[in-house]
Amino acid sequence: MENWTQRILLKGALLGMLVANVLSIAVAAETDKPLIEPDVRPQVVDESLIDTENFELGTFAGVINIEDFESSLVYGARLAYHLSEYLFFEGNIAMAEGGDTSFETLGNVTLLTDSERDYRYYNFGVGFNLPGQLFFPGAYTFNTNFYLVGGIGATEFADDNRLTINFGGGYQVLVNDWLSVHFSVREHVYKIDLIGEEKNSFNTEISSGLSVFF
Amino acid sequence: MQKRINQNPLVVVLLLISQLVFAKQAWAGGPWFWLSSEPLAQVTVMEPFVEWRSGPAFGFPVFHVSEQGEKLELLIRKTKWMKVKDPKGHEGWIAIGDLMLMQDDSGAKVSLVEPRFDNFSTRRWEAGLMAGEFESTSVNSAYAGYWMTNNLSLELWGSQVLGNSSEIRILNLNVLHQPFPEWRFSPYLTMGAGKLFIKPKATLVNEGSRSEDTMNIGLGARYYIDDRYFVRMEVKDYKIFTNRKTNEEATEWKIGLSVFF
């Protein structure tokens, strides 16, 4: 008896499910629409939304040897524009202060006033990158660039403003996509006629700095 | 280990910086304070495979490869490289040339407008740095220009003439016409007006600074090297209007490198 009632009920349930299935298939075939409409539209790549990071702005500090006028602290700012992975434009401005010449120290004389000892330069030029990698223990890997630079500019020193050529090289460690650390050595060459006779002044600069890509 | 780290303070500083800035790889292109709410564009690899490099240059090693059909998110761009992220969270750099062979979500090929010298719409602005001689004295110049039409542009110039007896600064506004914009070697004519600021060297002459009006005409040419940068050279003839009985004339030539945006 119990079996019989069970069978009847189960048969009914099974039939109902079948009917429902058939119906639902029929309905689906009729509309051919997904039950849930996706809420996303196909996205076209929009160039203007992609962040480009070809500019680099940084500061640096180091030591510059001003010929005849001791070595002193130099600090400045640098802006670079990366044209390609290899080539970049760069501009620098920096300042320092010249010290005393040996002649002044020994002879107890002064050649320049304090304001004339202010040393300032700007330059612009082209650089060439040689990419590489740097490995530290503990699986720390950094992308690096060894670079060579050369350019022209002007140096203001001893109440004079002279055309200056500069050349040098550097090592850049890219900490991540937007931050990097620089170590660089440069030579600045200009003509000076402070003691009557014109001569070339060679100024070597060793500096390090930080820069941000944007 | 402790001892070894202490011996290398530079390494410690570098690692500290890296720990600070790496904090979470999630920031697509900048530190947390550069907010970015835009959804990232997505592309699908269509070629059999695409190579990933550790940095934005061919000099960096290939460390990963994406297969056909894989979806990649575009993070940031540096020169001709794009940083991408795959669904597993890997990040790396692919060449723009490879990216242009992929499809975006609409099923079309990725189209990025690459700057080309013969496509006017991709180069409205230009800027450059030049050096040369102004009356046989060295001169450094910087300029920025805006192209109003294919042929006509407006330029603002700043120059510094570094002489033995004086320093001259020149500010100029120039109109420039290039008759053949589609040529790789493109000559042009220019004319303009501006002001000259003359500062004599105190040690030589007891003369104050003065400024004069000036006009110039010039002739020059560009030579496009790659699609974004070019060499430019020009000769300008300056007429300087002085307070004295005669006006002065000066000839200037310059050569330099420029880039357009």
Side-chain angles (χ1 to χ4, degrees), chain B residues 238-257:
Chain B
Y238 285 84
K239 200 90 171 165
I240 300 152
F241 307 106
T242 63
N243 295 330
R244 282 161 279 172
K245 275 189 180 155
T246 53
N247 288 334
E248 282 174 34
E249 263 192 72
T251 315
E252 176 196 55
W253 67 264
K254 285 189 298 246
I255 186 162
L257 265 175

Side-chain angles (χ1 to χ4, degrees), chain A residues 140-173:
Chain A
Y140 284 100
T141 311
F142 296 97
N143 288 334
T144 63
N145 282 309
F146 176 72
Y147 58 87
L148 296 168
V149 283
I152 58 163
T155 304
E156 214 181 314
F157 181 61
D159 201 29
D160 203 347
N161 206 342
R162 291 301 187 117
L163 177 82
T164 308
I165 63 158
N166 80 88
F167 53 89
Y171 191 62
Q172 178 185 26
V173 180

Side-chain angles (χ1 to χ4, degrees), chain B residues 201-220:
Chain B
K201 251 191 217 175
T203 46
L204 288 178
V205 264
N206 264 332
E207 207 181 322
S209 300
R210 61 199 164 97
S211 69
E212 315 274 17
D213 291 326
T214 175
M215 284 185 82
N216 69 79
I217 53 165
L219 188 72

Side-chain angles (χ1 to χ4, degrees), chain A residues 43-45 47 51-54 81 83 85 122 124 126 132-133 140 143 152-153 160-162 175-177, chain B residues 19 21-22 29 54-55 57-58 60-61 77-79 81 83 104-105 113 131 140 160 164 167 201 228 259:
Chain A
Q43 205 189 341
V44 180
V45 172
E47 212 177 345
D51 187 15
T52 58
E53 303 206 334
N54 295 333
Y81 174 72
L83 283 163
E85 57 195 77
Y122 79 82
F124 47 80
V126 187
Q133 283 193 313
Y140 284 100
N143 288 334
I152 58 163
D160 203 347
N161 206 342
R162 291 301 187 117
V175 179
N176 61 14
D177 290 331
Chain B
Q19 286 292 349
V21 292
F22 271 126
S54 70
F58 281 110
F60 295 117
R77 181 177 175 168
K78 266 188 193 180
T79 65
W81 294 82
K83 189 173 195 190
D104 62 20
D105 279 357
V113 184
N140 298 335
Q160 188 181 31
N164 278 349
E167 183 199 332
K201 251 191 217 175
R228 207 180 256 270
V259 60

Side-chain angles (χ1 to χ4, degrees), chain B residues 187-208:
Chain B
Y188 61 82
L189 288 165
T190 180
M191 61 185 291
K195 232 169 165 63
L196 228 100
F197 305 91
I198 305 162
K199 190 184 149 202
K201 251 191 217 175
T203 46
L204 288 178
V205 264
N206 264 332
E207 207 181 322

Side-chain angles (χ1 to χ4, degrees), chain A residues 56 58-60 78-80 82 84-92 123 125-132 143-150 166-174 180-186 205-211 213:
Chain A
E56 190 189 347
T59 57
F60 61 88
R78 172 178 178 270
L79 180 70
H82 293 262
S84 72
E85 57 195 77
Y86 301 116
L87 208 61
F88 61 88
F89 278 150
E90 66 152 26
N92 290 287
N123 62 52
V126 187
F128 188 78
N129 272 331
L130 296 161
N143 288 334
T144 63
N145 282 309
F146 176 72
Y147 58 87
L148 296 168
V149 283
N166 80 88
F167 53 89
Y171 191 62
Q172 178 185 26
V173 180
L174 296 139
S180 80
V181 185
H182 287 260
F183 306 95
S184 86
V185 180
R186 267 168 208 263
E205 177 193 313
I206 303 169
S207 69
S208 62
L210 279 176
S211 73
F213 284 87

